[in-house]
């Protein structure tokens, strides 16, 4: 997605919907512009975050087809649990280089998963085979676990 | 969000944290994750003559998940496997006064109990062969 274009359109619409323009308008019009602003902000926040965008888009692509929202790559849960456990030790022992390295590795893995989403989406939009949709769902499921791990690092 | 007193109690002094040896034949291990948030929980039971004699857990998750699993280990102890199977997340919700947004945290604990029992059963069936 073209993020610059998104930003540009968002700014433009924000200005158009600005309450100042409606200072002399009817109560009804004022309310409508407020409502439109809320919708605009929600849409913007969803669109600019690739994971939120994917989570929003997938059910639309699936068109009611049931996707397994629990499915994870095989062995993934066990691995995540193991990583959580070793992170306990790591964060406690506090060797800064090791913490930084683990963080970099996990960040990369998370980023790879997210860029993979974009590819799968392109594929799904073109042909939408159910298996691609489930792959996307599985990736999105996995994303949350990686996200949780990353949240544990001190900022 | 404010946690209930009981959640705080379990969260600040969790019962039965730890692990049993996974490959001990008397042990069943349930490892589950919450798809909603990416939290993970491991709950283990030690079984003698179809009765759960001990339980341990380790949870990487929110306070409600930690409290739910801590409570779950307390509840399963002394129960038979069949009795433990009937524990519902709604009972955990009630006991801990969990708000609606935290219901999935209690589901995690129910799932973990069931997974631990299933693991124990499948392993004891396998070792009986
Ligand atoms: S928020 Fe994830 S288990 Fe409670």
């Amino acid at each position: 997605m073209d993020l610059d274009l998104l930003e540009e359109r968002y700014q433009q619409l924000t200005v158009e919907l600005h309450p100042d323009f409606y200072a002399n308008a009817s109560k009804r019009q004022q309310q409508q512009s407020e409502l439109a602003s809320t919708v605009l902000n929600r849409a913007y926040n969803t669109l600019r975050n690739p994971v939120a965008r994917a989570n929003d888009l997938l059910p639309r692509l699936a068109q009611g087809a049931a996707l397994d929202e629990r499915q994870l790559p095989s062995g993934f849960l066990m691995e995540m649990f193991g990583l959580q456990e070793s992170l306990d030790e790591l964060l406690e022992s506090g060797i800064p280089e090791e913490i930084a390295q683990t963080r970099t590795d996990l960040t990369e893995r998370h980023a790879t998963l997210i860029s993979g989403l974009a590819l799968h989406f392109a594929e799904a939009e073109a042909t939408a085979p159910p298996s691609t949709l489930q792959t996307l769902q599985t990736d999105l499921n996995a994303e949350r676990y990686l996200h949780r791990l990353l949240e544990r690092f001190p900022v | 969000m404010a946690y209930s007193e009981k959640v705080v109690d379990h969260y600040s002094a969790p019962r039965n944290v730890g692990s049993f040896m996974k490959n001990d034949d008397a042990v069943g291990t349930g490892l589950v994750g919450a798809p909603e948030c990416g939290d993970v929980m491991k709950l283990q039971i030690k079984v003698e003559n179809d009765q759960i004699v001990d339980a341990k857990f380790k949870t990487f998750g929110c306070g409600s998940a930690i409290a739910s699993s801590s409570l779950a280990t307390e509840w399963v102890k002394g129960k038979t496997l069949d009795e433990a199977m009937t524990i519902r997340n709604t009972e955990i919700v009630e006991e801990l006064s969990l708000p609606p947004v935290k219901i999935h945290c209690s589901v995690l604990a129910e799932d973990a109990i069931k997974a631990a029992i299933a693991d124990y059963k499948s392993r004891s069936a396998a070792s009986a062969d």
Side-chain angles (χ1 to χ4, degrees), chain A:
Chain A
M1 205 181 68
D2 186 339
L3 286 176
D4 291 335
L5 185 63
L6 173 72
E7 196 61 37
E8 193 182 303
R9 289 291 290 146
Y10 173 67
Q11 298 301 347
Q12 196 179 335
L13 284 166
T14 303
V15 171
E16 279 172 29
L17 289 168
H18 199 275
D20 285 358
F21 281 117
Y22 296 86
N24 300 317
S26 70
K27 200 98 227 113
R28 205 181 128 78
Q29 274 176 318
Q30 283 181 4
Q31 279 170 351
Q32 275 174 342
S33 83
E34 260 172 51
L35 187 67
S37 294
T38 312
V39 173
L40 172 68
N41 283 318
R42 207 188 304 144
Y44 172 67
N45 284 320
T46 303
L47 285 171
R48 71 174 170 166
N49 173 338
V51 174
R53 191 165 75 226
N55 273 309
D56 188 89
L57 206 55
L58 186 55
R60 295 171 202 265
L61 273 184
Q63 292 178 345
L67 299 175
D68 183 350
E69 289 182 5
R70 306 189 78 96
Q71 192 178 93
L72 292 167
S74 107
F76 184 82
L77 207 54
M78 190 99 78
E79 190 201 355
M80 290 298 112
F81 192 86
L83 283 169
Q84 289 279 11
E85 273 189 319
S86 44
L87 204 52
D88 264 358
E89 274 168 41
L90 187 65
L91 291 174
E92 208 157 301
S93 76
I95 305 165
E97 296 77 24
E98 275 183 40
I99 295 177
Q101 186 57 49
T102 308
R103 183 188 205 152
T104 310
D105 292 349
L106 283 171
T107 308
E108 259 170 43
R109 185 165 168 189
H110 190 235
T112 309
L113 190 141
I114 291 173
S115 50
L117 285 174
L119 280 173
H120 286 136
F121 260 108
E123 207 178 305
E125 274 169 331
T127 52
S131 62
T132 314
L133 295 175
Q134 183 58 52
T135 307
L136 277 164
Q137 181 68 59
T138 305
D139 282 351
L140 283 171
N141 298 344
E143 187 278 331
R144 286 180 213 120
Y145 292 85
L146 286 169
H147 186 97
R148 265 298 200 247
L149 275 168
L150 283 166
E151 274 178 351
R152 293 191 62 195
F153 290 91
V155 266

Side-chain angles (χ1 to χ4, degrees), chain B:
Chain B
M1 188 187 49
Y3 281 123
S4 74
E5 241 169 73
K6 280 184 181 158
V7 171
V8 173
D9 176 38
H10 276 280
Y11 178 72
S12 47
R15 337 283 198 254
N16 312 311
V17 174
S19 297
F20 297 130
M21 290 291 290
K22 242 183 125 153
N23 34 21
D24 180 343
D25 273 347
V27 169
T29 301
L31 181 62
V32 291
E36 295 85 353
C37 59
D39 287 335
V40 283
M41 178 184 292
K42 184 178 81 177
L43 190 148
Q44 292 181 301
I45 51 171
K46 194 170 245 174
V47 184
E48 271 168 29
N49 300 322
D50 267 4
Q51 187 170 25
I52 299 172
V53 291
D54 204 358
K56 292 214 179 293
F57 83 94
K58 201 159 182 191
T59 293
F60 296 96
C62 71
S64 302
I66 290 169
S68 296
S69 40
S70 169
L71 180 67
T73 55
E74 282 194 321
W75 276 359
V76 295
K77 275 201 219 178
K79 286 200 164 63
T80 65
L81 294 176
D82 288 344
E83 286 165 353
M85 272 310 270
T86 66
I87 294 174
R88 289 287 166 271
N89 83 291
T90 46
E91 299 168 75
I92 297 172
V93 169
E94 198 173 318
E95 173 70 16
L96 298 174
S97 318
L98 298 179
V101 289
K102 292 277 143 180
I103 287 176
H104 75 267
C105 322
S106 69
V107 171
L108 201 56
E110 181 188 322
D111 288 351
I113 297 173
K114 296 207 163 111
I117 294 173
D119 178 61
Y120 170 76
K121 284 189 172 161
S122 74
R123 280 151 30 83
S124 56
S127 65
D129 290 341

